[in-house]
Amino acid sequence: MSPENNDFKREMLAALPSLRAFAMSLIGRHDRADDLVQDTIMKAWAKQDHFEMGTNMKAWLFTILRNELYSQMRKRGREVQDSDGHLTETLAHHPEQYGSLDLQDFRRALDKLPPDQREAIILVGASGFSYEEAATICGCALGTIKSRVNRARQRLQEILQVRGENDYGPDETSAPITSRAFVS
């Protein structure tokens, strides 16, 4: 094995914990997340000649994982078996306009944050950087980044009037309908 292959393998193995955590956040089931990570690693290994050493391996792998998940979802969407019609009876869909409105509210709330807090919450919460990486990017101490993220989260909760878990997801009217789709 060439030194370049060793470097590729070493970098890929170092990214596995983050890759698995990302897969879990997308899927929510350990077995399926592990399968997705395995598929991702297999595709990355087969296409390692497309990766340029010295660039961001983690970002490259995350992109492969996300694309593989989307491909699997599209494929699964075409392969639904429902010969007795039972699945069709239980399907329910939360209206899309609620998600769109929630996103608009969130964007407005995010815009109300001070720039340093907004930058910190986006780096850590949305971009997936560690506190240490975010501190380096912002050129400040680790404790400062943690404080900014904490203040941003608290301020977003205040602005969006979030008090607990019940403030997420479908409202009281939609919840009974959409929850039927998840009862087995």
Side-chain angles (χ1 to χ4, degrees), residues 48-136:
Q48 64 183 292
D49 57 316
H50 289 70
F51 179 73
E52 186 176 325
M53 290 305 291
T55 60
N56 192 337
M57 169 71 79
K58 190 173 168 183
W60 187 65
L61 290 171
F62 274 45
T63 301
I64 293 171
L65 185 137
R66 188 192 68 231
N67 290 341
E68 178 63 18
L69 175 64
Y70 290 158
S71 294
Q72 289 177 6
M73 289 171 57
R74 280 191 301 271
K75 182 178 178 185
R76 204 172 301 120
R78 293 187 301 266
E79 295 176 348
V80 173
Q81 294 290 323
D82 189 27
S83 55
D84 61 359
H86 178 69
L87 179 63
T88 305
E89 291 174 9
T90 62
L91 289 179
H93 189 276
H94 188 63
E96 289 180 21
Q97 68 267 27
Y98 293 139
S100 177
L101 293 173
D102 288 345
L103 185 58
Q104 288 175 14
D105 290 344
F106 181 76
R107 284 185 179 152
R108 279 194 290 276
L110 197 59
D111 287 341
K112 291 181 182 178
L113 293 177
D116 61 338
Q117 290 179 17
R118 183 174 44 249
E119 179 182 39
I121 195 79
I122 288 172
L123 286 172
V124 173
S127 298
F129 287 100
S130 68
Y131 285 111
E132 292 82 5
E133 292 168 326
T136 301

Side-chain angles (χ1 to χ4, degrees), residues 143-170:
T144 302
I145 253 329
K146 288 181 176 181
S147 177
R148 288 176 183 175
V149 169
N150 185 48
R151 287 194 312 266
R153 286 179 178 148
Q154 289 175 349
R155 184 66 184 128
L156 287 171
Q157 286 178 330
E158 289 171 15
I159 294 169
L160 296 170
Q161 299 175 347
V162 173
R163 290 169 292 289
E165 270 186 42
N166 294 335
D167 292 332
Y168 297 104

